[in-house]
Amino acid sequence: MSATPQKNRTTRRVLAVAAGLATTGALVAAMPADAQDRGHGHGHQPRTVDVQLLSFNDLHGNLEPPAGSAGNVSEKQPDGTVKAIPAGGVEYLATSLRTARKGNPYSVTAAGGDMVGASPLLSGLFHDEPTIEALNKLDLDVSAVGNHEFDEGATELARLQNGGCHPVEGCYEKGEEFEGADFPYLAANVTEEKTGKPLLKPYTVWKKNGVKIGFIGVTLEGTPDIVTANGVKGLKFHDEVETINKYARELDRKGVKSIVALIHEGGAPASTSYNYDCDSPGAGDGISGPIVDIARGITPKVDALVTGHTHQAYVCTVPDPSGQPRMVTSASSFGKLYTDTTLTYDRRTKDIVRTSVKSANHVVTRDQPKAADMTRLIDRWNKLAAPIANRPQGWITADINGRGSTALEKPLGNVIADAQLEGLAPADKGGAEVAFMNPGGIRADLVHKASGSEGDGVVTYGEAFTVQPFTNMMNVVDLTGAQLVAALQQQVSGSNEASPKILQISRGLTYTLDLTKSGAARVVTDSIKLNGEAIDPARSYRVAMNEFLAGGGDGFPALGQGTNKLVGASDLDLFNAYLAAHSTAAAPLAPPATDRITIVK
């Protein structure tokens, strides 16, 4: 669509550029009064307008600041060192966005999906109604759907959009009906199998004083691979590039020339620091991952891409199919960052002047004033959640890191897998011999510092729920040794080759991961042992895992081949039972050793 791109976040940019001369009286007459006034009464008006695009992604219902290391962002200092800055929480996000909007009469706020789902107890207990309410207060204008918007299925997603009380649990507050999102959720590439029609609106057009910007929203085509089967039942997910290009043509035909794509798919920058210069030319610099090919394929009619899903922070330019640079942004996760993109809108061409696009990520710091309306919202829902949330489940000696751990074998992953094995090992519970946990299902750390009045070291139900919010039912199945080995190889091959997903494993299973090799060969097969004995390819093993993995989710088709399935308790129930059995106030649980996977680099 327009010439060159701009740096940084989001792709909605209506920037005001040099004042052009509108010589025709008719054009001036057609302008809104405030635009005419800016022409200083001489019939002239600026040809360009700066539009501020504020964006964020992957909030996951984190209304309160995320605890522990999962609540930090990395900032590279001038001397090259990296500093961890505590960030996030909607009380601060609201303040950040409201402050950023000051002095910007043309400002639009957009999100890249996963606003809800895998949420902490404060929101998750209430099917994410608190988060939708908070987003309404944040004046969110539009959001793409992400894969987690489908966690509870299309009917529940429609309820989040349109309102109404929960079909099973009803209304949470007496006399108060849930009103739904007052912003459109966009799902351009999701259609109903029966009718072929889009599930939700494919796009929306933001308008102000004659300035028009179209937003097209898509989730990743691979959503069915990472959501439970019930969540995507009856739906088809289509190619992101083909879908965006189709609707960009439609918007163009309708006279909307400025277009931003909201894409719930992303990439991995070479540095985890939010202020990394993604366009630096060094070897190994820049960004990799699915979003690169997607960006290269999306029509030049689209002026900027706001992305998400990978929980990374970046403001990069990726060339469009015509070779012109175009801004691609992502703002980490959990409301820790927001992207501020300036889009210069040309009133004559109705397009974005891409050479003027500027973008940067900003930290949602916790040293600014809290937004009082968000504090009230959090307090209100916390009162409703308190009887359940504050119940002690166990005690720990120190932080047990999960989400915040960058290691392939995470201390909290070991605890969760051990809890699943222990709960399902009895013959009448399934007879499990080994348990697997998907790393993406660990949503937080267990933090030693008290989150409320419970005291340091106490793990509350709310904190345990925040770690495992899906309440997946556990399955125990028969897999052959050959299938077990294949599953371990699928961590680093197939759809997981470019971005490995290392399963968290229960005690007794050990093997070596050789990262100097590629693909499936990274798993040293003759090193795989269970309780010291080599895996027998022909033997049958009883394997415990959540229903998502047992369905072959996360790129593990081998795990979907299990037979003789027994359905057990939920992952959260087993986790809480393990904490209760293995910790007391006098003898708290210590972080376990991480020595099950030997890593060769």
Side-chain angles (χ1 to χ4, degrees):
M1 188 143 177
S2 327
T4 355
Q6 230 29 242
K7 187 108 205 183
N8 262 252
R9 198 359 240 169
T10 248
T11 130
R12 226 16 19 144
R13 241 297 246 341
V14 186
L15 220 101
V17 158
L21 301 181
T23 50
T24 64
L27 178 57
V28 175
M31 293 308 295
D34 66 335
Q36 293 182 39
D37 292 345
R38 283 200 311 261
H40 309 296
H42 297 298
H44 299 318
Q45 64 179 35
R47 177 166 164 176
T48 60
V49 176
D50 273 356
V51 177
Q52 177 187 55
L53 172 59
L54 300 176
S55 55
F56 58 98
N57 52 278
D58 296 276
L59 180 65
H60 291 289
N62 279 264
L63 302 181
E64 296 175 296
S69 53
N72 292 337
V73 293
S74 298
E75 181 179 76
K76 191 170 183 185
Q77 305 300 301
D79 64 0
T81 58
V82 175
K83 180 180 175 185
I85 302 175
V90 293
E91 294 161 299
Y92 303 112
L93 179 61
T95 300
S96 288
L97 294 177
R98 289 163 185 171
T99 303
R101 290 176 188 137
K102 285 177 183 163
N104 289 285
Y106 293 83
S107 182
V108 57
T109 303
D114 278 7
M115 294 294 99
V116 300
S119 303
L121 186 88
L122 174 61
S123 190
L125 189 63
F126 306 106
H127 296 275
D128 278 312
E129 290 181 23
T131 296
I132 298 296
E133 189 184 328
L135 292 171
N136 288 345
K137 288 182 188 293
L138 281 178
D139 295 319
L140 183 63
D141 290 297
V142 56
S143 180
V145 294
N147 51 290
H148 282 282
E149 265 80 17
F150 294 93
D151 283 348
E152 296 186 42
T155 306
E156 174 64 2
L157 174 55
R159 186 182 78 89
L160 290 181
Q161 177 73 85
N162 301 319
C165 295
H166 192 269
V168 177
E169 296 175 27
C171 301
Y172 295 113
E173 295 177 291
K174 197 168 181 180
E176 295 286 327
E177 177 157 334
F178 173 59
E179 293 181 356
D182 59 18
F183 55 90
Y185 258 125
L186 305 180
N189 66 331
V190 186
T191 57
E192 297 178 27
E193 275 178 359
K194 281 184 182 163
T195 64
K197 289 180 177 166
L199 177 69
L200 295 168
K201 287 172 64 166
Y203 59 78
T204 190
V205 180
W206 178 86
K207 300 174 184 165
K208 182 167 183 180
N209 296 345
V211 173
K212 291 193 289 191
I213 298 177
F215 287 86
I216 303 168
V218 298
T219 185
L220 68 155
E221 186 183 6
T223 290
D225 303 328
I226 53 175
V227 172
T228 57
N230 282 341
V232 294
K233 202 171 176 182
L235 302 177
K236 281 191 81 167
F237 292 77
H238 303 272
D239 182 83
E240 304 94 342
V241 173
E242 289 173 16
T243 302
I244 291 169
N245 289 352
K246 170 180 143 182
Y247 287 112
R249 287 193 297 274
E250 189 171 310
L251 282 166
D252 189 49
R253 284 197 302 273
K254 290 183 170 182
V256 178
K257 309 293 184 186
S258 299
I259 302 174
V260 175
L262 308 174
I263 307 173
H264 192 70
E265 178 60 291
S271 163
T272 55
S273 296
Y274 82 90
N275 54 342
Y276 163 67
D277 179 3
C278 195
D279 294 337
S280 52
D285 275 338
I287 185 173
S288 58
I291 199 61
V292 178
D293 285 341
I294 290 173
R296 290 178 187 275
I298 290 174
T299 170
K301 291 181 193 298
V302 174
D303 298 296
L305 314 182
V306 172
T307 72
H309 187 56
T310 59
H311 291 204
Q312 302 294 309
Y314 47 84
V315 172
C316 305
T317 55
V318 177
D320 70 16
S322 70
Q324 296 300 320
R326 178 168 54 194
M327 197 61 75
V328 179
T329 66
S330 173
S332 183
S333 64
F334 301 169
K336 294 183 287 189
L337 297 176
Y338 70 92
T339 310
D340 188 337
T341 304
T342 302
L343 302 170
T344 300
Y345 182 91
D346 184 324
R347 289 186 182 275
R348 193 173 297 171
T349 65
K350 299 181 182 171
D351 206 348
I352 302 302
V353 183
R354 268 219 248 143
T355 45
S356 304
V357 178
K358 295 180 186 68
S359 186
N361 275 325
H362 301 277
V363 181
V364 176
T365 59
R366 299 183 198 167
D367 58 3
Q368 58 185 323
K370 295 180 178 183
D373 57 337
M374 292 299 180
T375 303
R376 288 193 297 273
L377 179 150
I378 289 169
D379 289 348
R380 206 179 87 234
W381 288 102
N382 263 332
K383 279 195 186 77
L384 289 173
I388 295 172
N390 297 338
R391 252 186 354 238
Q393 301 296 315
W395 291 263
I396 55 176
T397 63
D399 288 2
I400 304 180
N401 285 339
R403 191 79 193 183
S405 167
T406 54
L408 299 179
E409 181 185 348
K410 305 171 192 306
L412 190 50
N414 287 358
V415 173
I416 290 169
D418 287 353
Q420 294 176 354
L421 176 63
E422 183 169 298
L424 300 171
D428 62 334
K429 304 288 189 200
E433 299 168 83
V434 63
F436 290 133
M437 175 63 190
N438 53 311
I442 306 169
R443 306 304 298 187
D445 303 333
L446 277 187
V447 178
H448 184 263
K449 184 174 168 37
S451 59
S453 58
E454 76 276 12
D456 290 350
V458 179
V459 179
T460 63
Y461 183 88
E463 290 164 342
F465 183 99
T466 298
V467 168
Q468 294 219 91
F470 297 107
T471 321
N472 273 315
M473 301 314 290
M474 291 300 299
N475 292 181
V476 187
V477 300
D478 285 346
L479 287 173
T480 65
Q483 289 168 327
L484 245 171
V485 171
L488 291 175
Q489 292 173 326
Q490 284 162 1
Q491 302 176 107
V492 289
S493 64
S495 61
N496 293 328
E497 178 155 11
S499 181
K501 289 195 176 83
I502 304 304
L503 294 165
Q504 306 298 290
I505 54 178
S506 54
R507 63 176 174 273
L509 185 64
T510 55
Y511 70 95
T512 298
L513 195 60
D514 187 347
L515 298 180
T516 65
K517 299 198 163 83
S518 62
R522 294 174 189 162
V523 174
V524 182
T525 47
D526 59 10
S527 72
I528 307 171
K529 293 189 167 71
L530 184 59
N531 301 322
E533 291 184 13
I535 295 289
D536 177 353
R539 194 196 131 189
S540 179
Y541 294 85
R542 292 293 282 167
V543 182
M545 56 196 142
N546 60 47
E547 59 193 335
F548 169 62
L549 277 180
D554 260 356
F556 290 99
L559 296 180
Q561 295 165 357
T563 56
N564 297 328
K565 177 168 79 174
L566 184 140
V567 178
S570 75
D571 50 8
L572 179 61
D573 287 346
L574 292 180
F575 184 49
N576 282 329
Y578 186 86
L579 291 171
H582 291 272
S583 69
T584 63
L589 181 70
T594 49
D595 53 6
R596 300 171 189 183
I597 307 172
T598 302
I599 294 164
V600 179
K601 290 186 178 174

